Amino acid sequence: MTSLPFSASPYPVIRLKPKANALTIRGGAPWVYSDELVTDRRARALAPGSIAVLEDADRSPLALLAVNPNSKIIGRVLDLPDAAAPDQAWFATRLRKALELRERLFDTPYYRLVHAEADGLPGVIIDRFADIAVVQPNAAWAEVLLEPLTQALEKLTGATVVLKNAGGRTRGLEGLDDVSAALRGAAPKAPIMVPMNGALYAADVTGGQKTGL
């Protein structure tokens, strides 16, 4: 990931209303609600999943934001305001950090690899079942950038099967479809066995609840 001089940023700018509390964003709040933004015609015209720079009412840049004008959560904080937009390398950095944290706790590769905002990927859930990964892109920006996310995921983990689970209720609130798919490889035809706490559990990664376990 590289940074750009803010004055050279190619991204549109959206702005908080004067009464909105910019301190929450500066303090690490991951969401911006639609009633906190100046939603003029230009802001409403942004396509769901667009990348923009968020400013406070005094035009001071706050964050790089993923925007969805169709959602009550109109903005999801991705990075510092002068950061470049997410690409495969950007995703790899976030995924690598998440992986390092899990590998401290788990001896086998069966775990929730990404837990949305907690791992710097707002709206994204990824569960890992050895060489199978199940991704829930529950926000418009992740849907738009699903391919570079998938590329980073398979390169970092060695996953040979990557499944998209589109069954989450949040996708509907984001205006997204409910069509699941195999992004890499072929989905298993039967539940897979998952070792956990000395027992084996069957995970249905295509038809089970959430990502299968």
Side-chain angles (χ1 to χ4, degrees), residues 166-211:
R169 174 177 173 270
T170 306
R171 287 180 59 85
L173 299 176
E174 287 277 302
L176 302 173
D177 64 42
D178 60 354
V179 180
S180 297
L183 304 175
R184 296 289 191 276
K189 296 182 179 180
I192 59 176
M193 303 310 295
V194 177
M196 184 183 299
N197 298 327
L200 284 177
Y201 296 86
D204 183 352
V205 295
T206 58
Q209 184 182 19
K210 296 186 178 180
T211 60

Side-chain angles (χ1 to χ4, degrees), residues 145-157:
L145 296 172
L146 190 54
E147 180 56 26
L149 169 59
T150 301
Q151 291 171 354
L153 178 63
E154 62 178 342
K155 184 174 182 179
L156 185 67
T157 66

